[in-house]
Amino acid sequence: MGKMVKETIHAKGIDIGIYTTDFENEYVSLTDIARYRSIEPRVTIHNWLRGRDIVEFLGLWEMLHNPGFKRIEFDTFKKDAGTNAYVFSIKKWNEELGAIGLITKSGRYHGGIYAHMDIALEFASWISPEFKLYIIKDYKRLKYSENSHLSLNWNLNREISKLNYRVHTDAIKENLIPPELTPAQISFTYASEADMLNVVLSGKTAKQWKEENSSAKGNMRDTATLNQLLVLANLESYNAVLINQGKNQQDRMQLLRQLVIQQLKALEAVSLDSLPKLENG
């Protein structure tokens, strides 16, 4: 079996271990259940397994839940069940018949014989019908607690997803997409092509930015993000191409803004953490 996760049922002062690999098929410690009536659990379990009706029950369970169970070999396996000389071997049961309902687990503290929950409850009935009810009661408590946590986690994850979506869209709105160019900005003739690119990228000329950030050191390009600087380099190249094509400044501004939006969105989707790091020196 794969990596197993342990839980515990508490029934009438007895701790009963449960292991699962997929949180659906759970294996309960028959050894712990047997401790309710016996100081030698292994002997008690094998006495139970000797009965012909129990062997037939185990075989039927395998047929219903295990496509790999060897039915023909099972007929041979059970022929002596119930006789005084019959000894049930879990190892032979699993290896020769491909059974999955019973397992043995080694270990000083959590070792023992385990069975699928369906089989374990049958064993608990044989030990004590009253004790079986206590097992079922605490098992239901355990499952209710798990479901409550799952429900809480689902709702929490859902709210976090909604919050992350809002944060992401707000970030794009405020930091990624430059503001709309106003008619006045488009019609204005910029003496400096660099200032025109500033307006396309951030909606402000260098002078306007400085007036709004008088205490800041450096200029607006010194405070630009890495993505903005990457796009700015492309803007300068694309602007040169548009100038050579004879496009006027107003037309170029609108084409350049489309490029800004397209490239900033593309860069935002790339995680810089995934880029290879430069070695020092």
Side-chain angles (χ1 to χ4, degrees):
M1 300 192 65
K3 183 178 180 181
M4 304 180 83
V5 178
K6 187 190 179 195
E7 297 174 308
T8 304
I9 294 174
H10 308 285
K12 296 204 76 175
I14 303 292
D15 291 342
I16 302 170
I18 303 178
Y19 281 88
T20 178
T21 54
D22 56 14
F23 298 99
E24 291 182 2
N25 294 302
E26 294 173 316
Y27 286 75
V28 182
S29 173
L30 299 188
T31 303
D32 290 340
I33 293 175
R35 287 194 178 100
Y36 180 69
R37 288 293 191 202
S38 174
I39 60 173
E40 296 186 36
R42 191 172 187 86
V43 173
T44 301
I45 295 168
H46 279 87
N47 283 339
W48 177 67
L49 291 171
R50 292 180 67 248
R52 184 175 182 85
D53 57 336
I54 299 305
V55 175
E56 291 180 344
F57 167 79
L58 294 175
L60 178 58
W61 186 92
E62 296 287 347
M63 293 177 195
L64 292 174
H65 299 91
N66 178 13
F69 186 62
K70 299 175 182 178
R71 301 189 180 198
I72 296 177
E73 288 83 346
F74 170 64
D75 290 336
T76 302
F77 190 95
K78 72 175 181 178
K79 65 181 177 62
D80 293 327
T83 64
N84 292 335
Y86 182 75
V87 177
F88 186 99
S89 168
I90 295 177
K91 183 178 180 181
K92 288 180 63 177
W93 175 253
N94 291 338
E95 291 180 355
E96 296 181 9
L97 305 185
I100 60 173
L102 292 170
I103 62 171
T104 56
K105 190 175 184 299
S106 60
R108 180 177 179 183
Y109 297 104
H110 305 304
I113 299 172
Y114 287 77
H116 189 279
M117 175 60 79
D118 300 341
I119 299 170
L121 289 178
E122 187 72 13
F123 177 63
S125 290
W126 184 76
I127 290 291
S128 165
E130 177 191 10
F131 187 51
K132 173 186 176 181
L133 293 177
Y134 279 99
I135 292 174
I136 292 173
K137 180 181 179 181
D138 202 65
Y139 179 73
K140 287 182 177 179
R141 174 204 57 80
L142 181 65
K143 294 296 107 178
Y144 177 81
S145 177
E146 285 180 358
N147 290 335
S148 295
H149 281 95
L150 288 173
S151 178
L152 176 62
N153 288 337
W154 186 87
N155 285 317
L156 181 59
N157 288 335
R158 183 170 179 269
E159 293 304 315
I160 289 175
S161 296
K162 287 164 62 178
L163 179 61
N164 282 342
Y165 178 78
R166 178 61 183 273
V167 169
H168 180 67
T169 55
D170 286 350
I172 290 176
K173 186 189 302 179
E174 296 173 9
N175 302 310
L176 188 59
I177 301 178
E180 289 283 352
L181 295 172
T182 66
Q185 287 174 324
I186 295 174
S187 62
F188 186 81
T189 300
Y190 296 90
S192 164
E193 288 293 320
D195 233 1
M196 185 268 288
L197 295 181
N198 289 336
V199 172
V200 171
L201 188 61
S202 64
K204 299 180 179 68
T205 64
K207 181 180 178 181
Q208 289 171 333
W209 183 89
K210 192 63 179 178
E211 289 173 350
E212 294 178 6
N213 301 273
S214 57
S215 61
K217 295 182 179 180
N219 56 43
M220 65 187 301
R221 297 195 181 192
D222 292 328
T223 60
T225 66
L226 176 59
N227 285 357
Q228 287 173 326
L229 292 175
L230 289 172
V231 172
L232 182 59
N234 291 334
L235 282 182
E236 291 170 340
S237 299
Y238 187 40
N239 189 40
V241 171
L242 295 177
I243 290 173
N244 288 332
Q245 290 178 354
K247 295 190 180 296
N248 62 47
Q249 195 177 74
Q250 288 77 18
D251 291 341
R252 283 188 283 116
M253 286 184 73
Q254 296 182 70
L255 291 171
L256 290 167
R257 185 178 184 278
Q258 293 175 10
L259 179 69
V260 170
I261 295 172
Q262 177 187 1
Q263 293 199 351
L264 282 176
K265 283 184 175 180
L267 287 170
E268 184 74 5
V270 177
S271 172
L272 294 181
D273 291 337
S274 65
L275 297 178
K277 301 292 188 296
L278 295 176
E279 296 292 338
N280 291 331

